[in-house]
Amino acid sequence: MATLTGGVYGEAEISRQATPAAFDANGEIEPCALLAVEADDPSGPFETSSRTFVTVYFYARSGYSAIDTALDRVFALLHRQRVSDENVWEIRHAGDVRDQRDPALDCAMSMSRYTVYRRR
């Protein structure tokens, strides 16, 4: 993830307080990503089967080239991947929302959503 020079985070948000390394010396956001685990939904062949939705938010100060590169790389790493953990069957890409603006950070933003099929 050399493209994401500001890092990859699992915090509640990207902010100067929670993720200071995501910002340069001038307080401008560097290309970075936030991994957000969302809700579980009962689904699958077993009573304990579920699907968990995971969204990766990508941020950059301006422009979308670093974000697009990172989106493509994460897709290559995760889509249709089988995880070695016996409780996770597969990860599938569920969709993207590209070329947005985050008004709170005043920066470029895109999102990529994945579904993780697993046994709870």
Side-chain angles (χ1 to χ4, degrees), residues 41-52:
D41 177 23
S43 176
F46 305 108
E47 261 186 54
T48 58
S49 300
S50 71
R51 59 186 179 169
T52 301

Side-chain angles (χ1 to χ4, degrees), residues 49-95:
S49 300
S50 71
R51 59 186 179 169
T52 301
F53 299 98
V54 176
T55 302
V56 184
Y57 296 87
F58 299 91
Y59 301 94
R61 183 168 145 317
S62 63
Y64 295 92
S65 63
I67 289 174
D68 290 344
T69 299
L71 265 162
D72 292 343
R73 180 66 180 139
V74 169
F75 178 85
L77 288 171
L78 294 181
H79 181 57
R80 293 207 172 272
Q81 292 302 307
R82 299 202 181 271
V83 181
S84 61
D85 182 335
E86 67 184 40
N87 292 322
V88 176
W89 295 304
E90 186 176 45
I91 301 170
R92 290 187 188 171
H93 181 254

Side-chain angles (χ1 to χ4, degrees), residues 14 16 22-24 27-32 59-61 105-107:
I14 297 291
R16 288 171 183 82
F23 298 85
D24 67 14
E28 301 288 348
I29 194 163
E30 296 282 341
C32 62
Y59 301 94
R61 183 168 145 317
L105 293 171
D106 189 29
C107 68

Side-chain angles (χ1 to χ4, degrees), residues 10-11 15 90 98-99 115:
E11 309 295 326
S15 69
E90 186 176 45
R98 293 178 177 250
D99 301 344
T115 306

